[in-house]
Amino acid sequence: MGLKTENEQYVKLAKTMLDDYRYNHSLCVAKEAVRLAKMYGANPKNAYIAGILHDILKNTPLPEQLQWIRKSGIIFDNIQLASPPIWHGFAASVFIKEELHIEEEEIIMAVRYHTTGRGGMSLMEKVIYMADMTSADRSYKDVNAIREMVNKNLDEALFESIRFSISNLSKKRLPIPFDTVMAYDELCVTHREESN
C-alpha cells in the first residue's frame, strides 16, 4: 500500500469515527506533527500517522475505551482509573496495533502518551504531544507563547506544556497521572542541569 493511500485510509477512518470538531483537530495535529518532525529530525511519515490517529477513540464510549485497555493487558492504577480523559490515548494505542496492524513502536507509544506524557519520552512522543498542544485549532490562553517556544526548543516547550497541564489539573482538583509527574520531574532535573 502506498503512503498516500495509507494516509487517505486513516483520514477516512478518522472521519467515520470522530465528530467534526475532533476530526478537524486530528487533521490539524497531523499537519503540525509533520512540521515539527521535519524541524527536529523525527520521521514525518510516522508523525502524520500518529497525529491523525492520536484521538481515534476519543468519541468512543468510555466503557469501550476501558475494554480496549483491559484487553491489552495494560494495568491501570487508581489515579488512571479515576482519570477518564486520559483513557482514549491508551485505548487508541491498542486499537491501532490490533485493528489497523500498525507495528511501528514509536507510533504506538506516541499515541499512548500524547495526553499524559511520561518519563523517558522519545522524540516522536514529544513531537505528537507538542503537536496536540499547539495545533492550529487550539485557542487556550497561552497557546501562542507555547507555539513560539516549540519553534525554538522542543524540550523547553514540552516542559512548559507539562507544567501547564499539571497546573490546570491542580486548579480543577483533578488527579495528576503518575506518568505526567514523572515527565515533569525528569524535565525539571534536565532543565536545572542545563541552567547550571
Side-chain angles (χ1 to χ4, degrees):
M1 185 184 296
L3 176 59
K4 188 175 180 186
T5 310
E6 187 178 40
N7 286 349
E8 285 171 356
Q9 176 194 1
Y10 297 142
V11 170
K12 283 179 184 173
L13 182 66
K15 179 80 172 162
T16 62
M17 292 185 67
L18 299 172
D19 61 31
D20 289 344
Y21 169 81
R22 193 60 54 182
Y23 172 68
N24 180 60
H25 170 67
S26 297
L27 291 175
C28 290
V29 171
K31 184 177 180 182
E32 179 65 0
V34 169
R35 190 184 76 83
L36 292 176
K38 289 177 179 175
M39 183 181 292
Y40 289 107
N43 182 321
K45 171 184 176 268
N46 286 352
Y48 184 88
I49 293 169
I52 204 70
L53 296 175
H54 79 289
D55 272 353
I56 197 68
L57 294 188
K58 184 73 173 179
N59 297 135
T60 300
L62 288 173
E64 198 175 323
Q65 290 182 27
L66 202 53
Q67 200 173 15
W68 276 108
I69 292 163
R70 289 186 167 144
K71 179 181 176 186
S72 73
I74 295 171
I75 297 172
F76 263 9
D77 59 32
N78 288 340
I79 302 299
Q80 290 166 316
L81 282 172
S83 308
I86 72 169
W87 293 0
H88 69 282
F90 289 86
S93 72
V94 183
F95 174 84
I96 66 171
K97 185 175 183 178
E98 294 195 7
E99 291 294 310
L100 305 183
H101 309 292
I102 290 173
E103 296 178 357
E104 288 88 345
E105 194 68 13
E106 72 172 3
I107 296 174
I108 294 166
M109 297 301 275
V111 168
R112 180 174 294 185
Y113 292 105
H114 80 267
T115 302
T116 62
R118 67 172 181 136
M121 289 173 79
S122 70
L123 176 59
M124 185 62 69
E125 288 169 50
K126 293 175 183 179
V127 162
I128 299 304
Y129 188 98
M130 289 313 305
D132 189 26
M133 287 292 290
T134 61
S135 61
D137 61 304
R138 292 294 197 192
S139 60
Y140 59 89
K141 181 175 168 264
D142 295 324
V143 68
N144 288 328
I146 299 290
R147 284 182 182 131
E148 284 181 28
M149 203 175 287
V150 82
N151 285 328
K152 296 174 185 172
N153 187 311
L154 183 63
D155 284 343
E156 192 68 32
L158 181 65
F159 187 34
E160 286 305 312
S161 296
I162 297 277
R163 285 177 59 194
F164 173 83
S165 178
I166 288 174
S167 173
N168 199 33
L169 289 167
S170 178
K171 282 176 188 168
K172 293 177 180 176
R173 298 190 175 194
L174 293 172
I176 300 167
F178 183 67
D179 286 318
T180 307
V181 174
M182 290 300 291
Y184 171 79
D185 285 347
E186 184 179 276
L187 289 160
C188 199
V189 169
T190 303
H191 187 265
R192 185 176 299 149
E193 287 172 352
E194 287 173 357
S195 298
N196 291 338

